[in-house]
Amino acid sequence: MCDELGPKEGYMKEFVEEFATLCDVNSSDKGCSEQQVKFIKKWSDKDADALKKELSRLQGMQSKDGASMKPEAAKWVKQRLALVKQLQQKTEL
């Protein structure tokens, strides 16, 4: 483990989760929070157009309101962005 992120493995997980999500839409039982699982269930049956609109909405929130958001809200926006991108890839297959 790298020393920059501290001596414990938890630091690495926190660092990664701050910028992305460890949650996988294909196996949401591992690495996903309850909030993420609910989001996946809600959006997994949406069509590509709905996912594209949600992606645009979230990107707008991140760029426009990102600086004024509380850290937890900004983190949730980033997590949802990652999940929507995964769902889009899944619908393209």
Side-chain angles (χ1 to χ4, degrees):
M1 184 77 36
C2 61
D3 294 332
E4 289 84 17
L5 295 175
K8 300 191 181 206
E9 292 179 21
Y11 291 137
M12 177 63 91
K13 183 178 177 184
E14 289 174 18
F15 178 77
V16 170
E17 287 178 343
E18 182 177 338
F19 295 100
T21 181
L22 299 175
C23 183
D24 183 3
V25 296
N26 296 314
S27 59
S28 60
D29 56 330
K30 294 180 183 177
C32 298
S33 68
E34 188 176 317
Q35 189 177 31
Q36 290 170 323
V37 171
K38 287 180 185 178
F39 184 83
I40 292 168
K41 286 180 181 176
K42 177 181 177 182
W43 284 92
S44 62
D45 62 343
K46 303 288 184 183
D47 63 6
D49 190 48
L51 291 169
K52 186 177 179 180
K53 287 179 183 177
E54 180 66 4
L55 184 68
S56 295
R57 187 182 78 82
L58 291 170
Q59 288 172 334
M61 287 174 62
Q62 185 180 29
S63 64
K64 188 188 304 183
D65 303 328
S68 63
M69 283 185 192
K70 291 183 180 179
E72 296 92 26
K75 180 179 174 181
W76 177 229
V77 168
K78 289 178 187 175
Q79 289 174 347
R80 286 183 290 171
L81 275 167
L83 293 173
V84 169
K85 288 177 184 177
Q86 287 184 44
L87 289 167
Q88 277 187 318
Q89 289 176 349
K90 188 176 174 181
T91 59
E92 290 174 358
L93 297 176

